[in-house]
Each structure stands twice: as structure tokens, then as C-alpha cells.
Amino acid sequence: MPFPASHPALDRALSERGYAEPTPVQSAVLEAEQGRDLLVSAQTGSGKTVAFGLALAPTLLGEAEKFAEFGAPVALVIAPTRELALQVSNELQWLYAKTGARIVSCVGGMDPKVERQALNRGCHIVVGTPGRLRDHLERGSLDLTTLQAVVLDEADEMLDMGFHEDLTFILETAPAERRTLMFSATLARDIVQLAKTYQKDALRIDTVAGNASHADIEYKAIRVAPNEVELAVVNVLRYFEAPGALVFANTRERVKHLTSSLRERGFSVVGLSGELTQSQRSEALQALRDGHARVCVATDVAARGLDLPDLGLVIHAEIPVNKAGLLHRSGRTGRAGKKGVSVLLVSYTRRRKVELMLQSASIKAEWSGPPSAEMILENDRKRMLADPVLTAPVEDEDTLSLGRKLLETSTPEQIAAALIRLYQQKLPAPEDVYDDDRMKRQQETGKNDKGQADVPYSDFARGGDMAWYRINIGRDKNADPKWLMPTICRLGHVTKRDIGAIKIFERETKFEITQEMQAKFEAAIALGLEDGVKIDPAVKPGPSEKPVSRWDKKPGAGGDRPEKKPWKAREEGGDKPAWKPREDRPEGAKKPWVKRDDAAPASEGKKPWVKREETAAKPAWKAREDRPQGEKKPWVKRDDAPAPAAESKKPWVKRTPNDPTPEGKKPWVKKPAAEGKTPWTPRSDAEAAPAAAGDKPWKGKPKGGDRPWASKDARGKPAAPRAPYKAKGPRG
């Protein structure tokens, strides 16, 4: 059916662009009532940009042929990524070219000063990402007072990326009397809630009915061993030989690894991840559009909004997290009526999740094994024979003359063989990839290896006979199952589930392989192993063969066993020393430990103390006169009974002023606490008591000194030295 009339200027632009028939989403939008809010569910690549561009024309232009003078924007388009925003801006540029519209892009990664200058000069339509648009609003460089329409493109992706707060801020800043159009690949609960909050009587248009969204995409699920995913990516790329391919990974590190691996094998490949700068991303995308690169490895976030030409193949090297991720990834291909292929590489550990995901998305995928090298070479022969270069007419006389000379010097067979070699040299070599026979058998019969009903592979019990092998890596080379098992899987093209017991000996390690994988394992190790690694068949270890634990090796001999503490055996046969009695405690030691007679020297790290016997009582305080002068504080025992504990009093009182002051002690006596004064004043007889070495020779200073040690009066001024206080007697 021909395009319905929308606006004369836009109709001419569509005609010049070669648009003859509208897509389903374009027809539905144009048939909707003019001026009404729309909530549209449409497949990625279904022509949504042209659809809302046509829908906005009556609201923005009305009956006018062109826009009036430049001022504040009348339309705002919000997209999740800068690539999608720039793509939308380019689409609207040609669609509104004959209306005199000025379109400004505001995206992250670009110079904000240039964007502010463009906004200040005036525009009609602003296209941007949520974060940058909010930044311009907060800085006052973007004015939404004259806004008539807002478009949210890929609304579900914006919510998934955490832009809910930014979207709320922008929509609440925009005028209430506006038109709001929301486009989303899926109408999840949060999208519907957002529509209810910020739309008025929105018309819901759903162009994704049943499998209609997958009509142009062929889904394939390929069985692959977990350790051969990278090899399977190589063979899938070689088998389909699409002009453009997109490989998805879940992390930046995985993107870097796959990009390097494919480039090493001869593919023209670029990588896209969040760590790249805007200029690096632009260069990579330009290489894809120019045909200098054929493969792009990207994360979900980096690939959102990409519209690559001739993208006929999408490979899920790592399974998407949910159904929405699967649809967004696959939607990069099969766009605008073109056919595409979406390939999921599925290991047995992920099979159940993939089946549930495909079922929830109403997708029927074709299950198969990975393309073999023979299948790829056969496809190469067919493609070479069908190459248009062989049948295209030759009009260049020099080329014909050179061809005749070749026929004079070489036979047609030699020339054809040389042509085939040149053709094959441009193609990366295929890899030897093995199909997962158990998964294949389970899918065909619906039963597991024991004939039971279909269950997830992670629930399978290892059973059946096992074959023993040995590898020349033992405890002397620090063998450990943590890295030994992945090594066996990589060398033998098997998985963790195919390996049974692992027994590590001093100079070798023996391990089990299931008999059903024995032939595949032996074929893999026959192709060659790493330098110095040797794997041979072995017999089951006997009772006399005891595995060597890493704790059995002596310290310093290459093992991980820690040093033991050098305790001597105690009398009961233990490895720690017995406790010694208290009477051996050195004089003056404070801790309740006594020295051992057989204590090791300190350099060996042993504590030369042992605990006293439990019956040994703590010594009582001796009378002051028996205590060595200078060791303890000059307190003496109270004559009366100790004060009750509740009073928290110390059972000591200060000596009387008549007591002789021991040499080396401070000449102070206690002051009554009730007076609230500094509790110390100089002794009246300070002159008579010279300070000992190390004591502070302070005495009363004259009035006006900088540090008056005498008490101060109520006004804070120094008072005259006072007479020394007398002792109160027992405290409490």
C-alpha cells in the first residue's frame, strides 16, 4: 500500500528517499488520531524514527509549509545512547530538510560548549541522551517553555540503563500541555507505569504480535562445549560469511579477548565497549560502515542503538541475561525488511536457561551442532563458484590481453588452481569443533544418559565405566585441581563433567575420563599437546599408591605446608611445654608467667614464660617500709577497714605534712576537693626541701608571674601562697 499523506514537505522527502510502502508501525502511527499521545510497542529496526517523525509533523507545523524563525525548541526526542541519538538526528535531518527545521544534538562525549552555542542560536528539534539533556536544563541553556511534543525512543532500554530519575526530571520540567509519544520494544510493567504517569489518554499500539517480531530473523541454537565457545564463534562466522556480523559478550574483558583472538585468526574485526572514548567508537563504527571491518565484538550497552549496514548475523557468544536482552541483541539484524540470522552458542550448563528464554519470547529456534570444517569448506566452494566475478563480462582490453598471455604460458587447470589458492588465502581457516553428543541425544530422545526424563544437565549424575589416564605433572610441580582440571579440559576437548576422580602423586597425576568421551579425548591429545606435557593411558591406582597431599610436603621443599611451632613435648605427650610452678617466676615480673627451664632462645620465636599453678595466690602488698624506695608510689595501707566497694574510694591516704618527704618525690599534699580549687599549692617549707634529680623544682611564684602555681582567687587572679593543708585522716 502507498504511504498515507502526512505533510507535503515530508511526503516529498519520502518520495525522493525511495519510500514506497510504509512499515506496519508507520501505518499504525499515521492512522492514529492526530494530536493524541501514543504508547507504541515495535520491533527494533522497524522504522520507528520515520514513524514518529511523520506523527510529529501535524503537531509542529500544522498547516504551515515551513517552520518560523528560530527560537526555543518545539520538539524533544530522548534516546538511550549517543549512537542512537545521532542516528535519529540524521534521520530527522533528511525527513524535515524541506521544512527549514534546525535540529540540534545533545549527547554525552561531545563538547557541551558547542551544544550550548547551538541552543542559544535557536532550533526547532532537540535530540539527545537523558544525562546531557538534564545537564543543559540545570545550567539553563535548554528552554522547554515552548515545547509541544516529547518522544521517548527505546524507553525500555533507558529504564534498564538507570535513566529513570533523569527522565522524570525532564518530563516534569516540560510543559504539562504537550504531546508525549513513547516507543519501546517491550511493554514491561515499568514502561506502562511511566506511561500512566506522564501520558494522557494514550493510544496503545502493539505491532509485535506473536512471532511477527521474529519474521525476518532466523534463530539458531548451537550446541557447544563450554571450553570451545571461542572456536565455535570462528566457525559460525566462516560458515555464514555475512557482509557484517555482530558478536555479543557480557564484559569488557571478554570483548577485548574475543577481538584479539579473531584478529589473530585473520578476521577484520573491531571492538566496542564502554571504556572506549567517543573518537575511538566513531572510528570503529566508520570502519564497519566503510566495509574495512566485517565483524564487531561488543557489549550490550555499547551496541545499543547501532544501525550497521548489511548486518546479517548476530552471534551470542555469551547468553543474554533475559528475554529483553535477547530481543534487543537480535534486533540489530533483520531490519527494514532485510533477513538476518541470530545464533546462540549454548553449552550444556546454559541449555535450560536458553530454552526457557526462547519459550518466554515465543521464539522457535533450530537446534544443531557447530558447523564443522567440512561444512565450511563445502560452503566456500559453493560461494566461489557462484561469485559474480567469474560470470561478469570483461570489457577492459588490457585485462583480456593479459588473460590470453596466461593461457599461452599456463594450462587452464593451473590458472584455475592459482585462482582457488588466492581465494582461499583471504579466508581464515576453520577450527575443529566437537558437538556435544549427550546434549544432542537428550534433545532427540527427551531422556538423559540413564533413560530418565529430561532434566537440566547440572542435575545429571556421573555414572558408567571410567578410563584412567595420567599426565606428567605432579606435586613436585605444584599440581593442584584448581588449575589442573581446566588444563585437561582444554587439551582433551572435554568438559568438567567428563572428568572423574583426580589423584595427584609426587611426579604425576592420574585422572578418570568417561568412556563415552574416551575416543574424543584420545583424538584430541593425539593432535599435539603443549611443550613438556605428556598424557598416556594408565591403570587405576592400587591400594599401595597413596596420593600426595600438598600438606604432606616438608616446608621449603616446594609444598605449601606451614612451619610448625617449635614446642617441646610436654609430659603427657603433647607438642606444647608443661606449665612451670610459680616459685620459678623471676623477681619483679608482673604477668602471672614463670620462666621455663628449657626455654628456647628468643631467636627461635618461643615465649620463655609458662603459667604459674592455679593454687599460687597473688602476693599481698607489703608494708611501705619494706618496699624499695622509688619503685612504687608513696602510698601506705589504711589502718582501718577498706571502704565499701560501692563508694569507689581508694584505700590510700596521703602522708601527713610531718612525714618526711622521700627524696625524688613531689612536695605536694592533698587539698580539700570541696573548695573547687586547683588541688595543689606549694609547700610552705619548699625552700627547705631541695628538689631531687628528675623532680620539678616548682615553688610559689610572686604575683604577676606567668605560671602562678599557687591557687587563684575567685576573680581568676593569682593569690598569695597558702599554708599547706593538713591530712584529713583516713578517707571515706
Side-chain angles (χ1 to χ4, degrees), residues 49-60:
T49 305
V50 174
F52 64 72
L54 296 174
L56 290 176
T59 304
L60 305 181

Side-chain angles (χ1 to χ4, degrees), residues 30-51:
L30 291 175
E31 293 172 0
E33 180 183 350
Q34 290 188 2
R36 190 172 179 182
D37 289 357
L38 301 178
L39 177 58
V40 184
S41 173
Q43 173 190 1
T44 304
S46 58
K48 298 194 300 294
T49 305
V50 174

Side-chain angles (χ1 to χ4, degrees), residues 60-93:
L60 305 181
L61 290 166
E63 300 296 331
E65 181 71 16
K66 292 187 176 182
F67 282 101
E69 62 182 11
F70 307 125
V74 293
L76 178 65
V77 181
I78 310 174
T81 62
R82 47 194 170 189
E83 284 80 17
L84 182 56
L86 295 175
Q87 176 187 320
V88 170
S89 179
N90 293 333
E91 289 286 304
L92 295 179
Q93 290 281 3

Side-chain angles (χ1 to χ4, degrees), residues 547-582:
V548 179
S549 170
R550 65 192 181 111
W551 301 105
D552 293 338
K553 295 188 67 63
K554 296 180 179 179
D560 297 330
R561 175 180 170 181
E563 295 277 358
K564 288 186 177 181
K565 295 181 179 180
W567 302 111
K568 293 185 178 181
R570 65 160 70 124
E571 297 175 357
E572 294 81 8
D575 58 354
K576 291 186 178 180
W579 303 115
K580 295 293 183 178
R582 173 179 170 78

